[in-house]
Amino acid sequence: MSSLKQLAIRGTIWTFIGYGSSQVLRLGSNLILTRLLVPEVFGLMALVNTFIMGLSLFSDVGINPSIIQNPRGEKPEFYNTAWTLQVIRGIGIWITCIIIAYPISVFYDTPELKWLIPALGLNSIISGFQSTSLPLIKKKVKVSISTSFMLGVQLVYLGLIILFVWFYRSIWSLVIASIISQIVSTIVSHKLMPEIKNRFTWNQESLKELFSFGKWIFVSTAISFFAMQCDRLLLGRLFPIEILGIYTIAFTFADIPIQVINRINGSVVFPLVSQLSDLSRQELRKKIIDKRKLILILGITLVVLLTCFGDLLVLNLYDERYKDGAWMLQILALGIWPNLLSITMRSVQLGIGKPMYGAYGYLLKFIYMVIMLPFITNIMGLFGAILVIAFNDIPFYLAVQYGLWKEQLLTVKQDFWATLFLVFLISIILFIRYYLGLNLTLPSNGFFD
């Protein structure tokens, strides 16, 4: 047990190092790109990535989580069968990109989409050939290796983007840089664990286990596409494309706490819970509740900072074109709290082999978005749309808590006190900010624009 604790500590430290470095690189490149490109480019890329991500989620059978969670994950017949499925899936995604590109370009009245979607979709074929070394490294909680790999790939990607955009200020610079970096990523992935030699394999027993675990991953991720991407899909239709670009900038910052916790969950919590899944629910819950306190403290700190001072971040880093992102960021940052509470336990549900509750949550979230976003937008305009999006994780949280109750891992009491502490901190800091004369940034054209 002490060795697992050491793995968790080392993994968490490396996760922080990796994520912190990643965000510094991302912010730096983002500031450069927003000065070289117009907001419409970011809106277009958001739409293209949304549809490609949707196809990925609709075809996701949990290949990597299955390798991490399954006791046979390190057997060649298992991970090679998983790799074969991964290759087939990548080719299928690209073919679908070609099929849907034209109808989407007509729907959004944006001709560029019919070429951008198939071009960027090539990444799905390339990534399909990535080595299964990546999930196997995570299974062993070797976070230092996976972190170094991701940072290296990101450096290549951002370096290429800045180089291409500097000389050719077009959205195609972003597409070409993405494809080249994906090729580099795939090649390097096969060097991480030289003993892993991926080859085409079709083992029936492994297939059965992959689909047994992956069926709920498939349902969950398919529904999650609509639930998590509804904002971009509907905003791109309800508002000018530049609004989507500004929203994307604001969301990128507001999503930082979720990304941090997700990194810890994926690199540390999920692999370790998979190894502890044979414990009684009472023992497992006790260990989780105790360690979860530290994760929640981190989450509270990040949410408070972004909610109370996020507008200053946007106003000082970006030019006048992006000023509406300031008030969007503060609302979105506060709204991620239910999601943050949920994902700290979502990985636990995956670790014990119970991914179905997340699927229920994403379905509820999708229904909420489809009904509330157009309705409130008609009444309150952009401000109302951002409010709806900000608090769209409450249905997801309720579904996850239902699953925790069923599995005797309920965290409502801890969540209540953490939420109370969050509200107290935000109230105090906003009062001090108001007292010092630093008023919050409001929508430039009023609440009901």
Side-chain angles (χ1 to χ4, degrees):
M1 195 64 66
S2 60
S3 62
L4 289 179
K5 184 177 180 180
Q6 291 172 358
L7 279 175
I9 294 171
R10 285 200 301 269
T12 302
I13 291 171
W14 270 102
T15 298
F16 276 116
I17 293 172
Y19 185 78
S21 303
S22 174
Q23 289 306 305
V24 169
L25 291 171
R26 188 177 181 183
L27 175 60
S29 64
N30 192 274
L31 292 174
I32 295 172
L33 292 175
T34 53
R35 282 157 175 78
L36 297 175
L37 299 169
V38 296
E40 287 86 347
V41 170
F42 294 99
L44 268 177
M45 281 301 289
L47 271 181
V48 174
N49 284 322
T50 294
F51 282 106
I52 294 176
M53 183 185 301
L55 294 176
S56 298
L57 293 175
F58 265 96
S59 59
D60 188 4
V61 290
I63 293 172
N64 284 354
S66 292
I67 294 174
I68 296 171
Q69 191 265 349
N70 197 290
R72 296 178 59 243
E74 296 179 64
K75 300 290 184 182
E77 67 271 14
F78 189 90
Y79 63 69
N80 279 326
T81 300
W83 183 77
T84 303
L85 282 176
Q86 182 177 277
V87 172
I88 295 171
R89 172 174 172 258
I91 296 170
I93 290 173
W94 183 66
I95 293 172
T96 310
C97 282
I98 297 174
I99 295 171
I100 69 171
Y102 180 72
I104 290 172
S105 70
V106 173
F107 180 77
Y108 283 96
D109 193 23
T110 308
E112 298 94 328
L113 291 175
K114 67 182 176 184
W115 305 112
L116 288 169
I117 293 175
L120 201 61
L122 284 169
N123 278 338
S124 61
I125 295 181
I126 301 166
S127 63
F129 285 90
Q130 274 196 334
S131 173
T132 52
S133 297
L134 297 174
L136 287 171
I137 286 170
K138 288 186 177 181
K139 186 180 181 72
K140 298 174 183 292
V141 202
K142 294 182 177 180
V143 186
S144 59
I145 298 176
S146 59
T147 298
S148 301
F149 170 76
M150 287 187 292
L151 283 177
V153 170
Q154 187 179 15
L155 272 171
V156 172
Y157 173 57
L158 297 179
L160 288 171
I161 281 182
I162 293 171
L163 179 65
F164 290 158
V165 170
W166 188 268
F167 290 102
Y168 186 56
R169 299 185 183 185
S170 162
I171 193 171
W172 287 101
S173 298
L174 305 181
V175 174
I176 294 169
S178 177
I179 292 172
I180 294 174
S181 66
Q182 188 62 65
I183 292 172
V184 172
S185 170
T186 299
I187 293 172
V188 174
S189 72
H190 287 273
K191 308 294 183 183
L192 296 177
M193 293 178 69
E195 67 273 19
I196 303 297
K197 305 292 184 182
N198 286 131
R199 56 182 58 86
F200 292 107
T201 304
W202 202 254
N203 181 269
Q204 292 295 329
E205 183 183 355
S206 299
L207 280 173
K208 184 178 179 181
E209 292 178 14
L210 281 163
F211 284 119
S212 176
F213 179 79
K215 63 185 179 183
W216 280 108
I217 298 290
F218 169 76
V219 173
S220 177
T221 53
I223 299 173
S224 74
F225 165 69
F226 290 111
M228 298 176 69
Q229 302 302 322
C230 248
D231 52 353
R232 292 166 177 81
L233 293 173
L234 292 176
L235 285 177
R237 180 70 177 174
L238 296 170
F239 298 96
I241 200 72
E242 60 265 25
I243 293 295
L244 179 58
I246 296 168
Y247 168 80
T248 301
I249 297 293
F251 180 84
T252 299
F253 282 106
D255 199 46
I256 287 175
I258 297 298
Q259 294 300 319
V260 171
I261 303 305
N262 266 332
R263 290 287 182 92
I264 296 173
N265 283 339
S267 301
V268 182
V269 178
F270 174 44
L272 291 181
V273 170
S274 297
Q275 298 180 38
L276 298 172
S277 58
D278 57 339
L279 292 177
S280 69
R281 289 292 187 263
Q282 186 176 1
E283 289 179 281
L284 183 60
R285 181 180 179 276
K286 187 176 182 300
K287 291 182 179 296
I288 291 166
I289 290 291
D290 184 49
K291 300 297 184 291
R292 188 173 180 250
K293 293 176 185 176
L294 299 175
I295 298 178
L296 291 181
I297 289 172
L298 171 64
I300 287 171
T301 303
L302 294 172
V303 170
V304 167
L305 288 173
L306 288 170
T307 301
C308 296
F309 304 108
D311 60 330
L312 302 179
L313 190 66
V314 174
L315 293 174
N316 284 285
L317 292 178
Y318 295 89
D319 60 46
E320 184 72 12
R321 295 173 299 172
Y322 297 91
K323 65 179 181 179
D324 278 328
W327 63 265
M328 290 184 191
L329 170 53
Q330 291 184 294
I331 296 172
L332 293 170
L334 179 61
I336 67 161
W337 179 245
N339 191 12
L340 195 148
L341 291 173
S342 302
I343 62 172
T344 54
M345 295 305 293
R346 169 81 171 126
S347 58
V348 174
Q349 292 176 338
L350 288 173
I352 62 174
K354 301 289 184 179
M356 70 285 291
Y357 302 113
Y360 303 148
Y362 286 127
L363 178 59
L364 291 175
K365 182 176 177 177
F366 170 63
I367 294 171
Y368 162 88
M369 286 288 285
V370 168
I371 295 173
M372 296 300 293
L373 189 54
F375 176 70
I376 298 299
T377 297
N378 281 333
I379 300 172
M380 301 177 63
L382 181 59
F383 177 74
I386 299 302
L387 277 180
V388 170
I389 293 169
F391 296 100
N392 64 9
D393 286 306
I394 293 175
F396 182 72
Y397 172 79
L398 295 175
V400 170
Q401 284 300 315
Y402 170 76
L404 294 174
W405 171 70
K406 292 281 287 186
E407 301 300 327
Q408 302 174 44
L409 295 169
L410 202 61
T411 61
V412 170
K413 184 177 179 181
Q414 187 179 53
D415 292 352
F416 172 78
W417 288 111
T419 303
L420 200 63
F421 184 53
L422 173 74
V423 172
F424 172 75
L425 281 180
I426 291 175
S427 300
I428 293 295
I429 293 174
L430 288 181
F431 175 78
I432 294 172
R433 176 174 169 167
Y434 177 79
Y435 180 77
L436 294 175
L438 298 172
N439 295 326
L440 293 176
T441 304
L442 300 177
S444 57
N445 295 318
F447 283 176
F448 304 102
D449 180 32

